[in-house]
Amino acid sequence: MSSLPNLLSQCYPYQYRQIIQSHVLTLLSKLPSLQPKIQLYTHDTVGKQVKLLVLEGTVPMYYRRMRYNIPVRIWLTEGYPQYPPLVYVVPTQGMCLMMMMVVG
């Protein structure tokens, strides 16, 4: 894995690199299953592509006293930290999601 400063130098020129680095390092200390990477993100409204920092891995959640490791992809968009990251659940092939009012 590349160092975080090295990854940040390869992607979109974030305005607040030091803050981003601090936030990501804090998050990685709490959720070591996440891995920082650089990936191409396509904005769905305009189709523009940009290289962004993304954190991929699993986040633990508890439901009815059972622990589930939820696979996620967390994109730090160009406006971070002034705008929140985009967080997606990335279901595995064998994962079953139930449609509910809060899942669509």
Side-chain angles (χ1 to χ4, degrees):
M1 177 180 76
S2 295
S3 72
L4 189 55
N6 184 36
L7 286 174
L8 284 168
S9 71
Q10 297 175 40
C11 63
Y12 178 83
Y14 292 103
Q15 183 176 357
Y16 301 100
R17 283 180 192 248
Q18 290 302 112
I19 293 171
I20 290 171
Q21 185 169 325
S22 174
H23 288 182
V24 170
L25 290 174
T26 299
L27 183 61
L28 293 177
S29 73
K30 296 178 186 310
L31 296 169
S33 68
L34 295 177
Q35 296 293 314
K37 301 176 182 180
I38 299 299
Q39 289 186 358
L40 214 56
Y41 179 79
T42 304
H43 289 276
D44 55 354
T45 53
V46 292
K48 180 178 105 178
Q49 290 188 326
V50 64
K51 286 167 78 174
L52 296 178
L53 183 65
V54 62
L55 301 164
E56 289 186 332
T58 59
V59 173
M61 82 158 248
Y62 291 87
Y63 179 70
R64 294 186 180 170
R65 297 185 183 166
M66 295 287 295
R67 177 183 163 143
Y68 296 91
N69 292 314
I70 307 301
V72 296
R73 189 172 291 139
I74 304 169
W75 294 91
L76 301 184
T77 59
E78 300 95 328
Y80 187 85
Q82 295 167 318
Y83 294 95
L86 299 175
V87 181
Y88 296 99
V89 173
V90 185
T92 61
Q93 192 169 5
M95 193 178 219
C96 179
L97 297 177
M98 292 176 37
M99 294 299 287
M100 300 171 72
M101 288 180 55
V102 294
V103 177

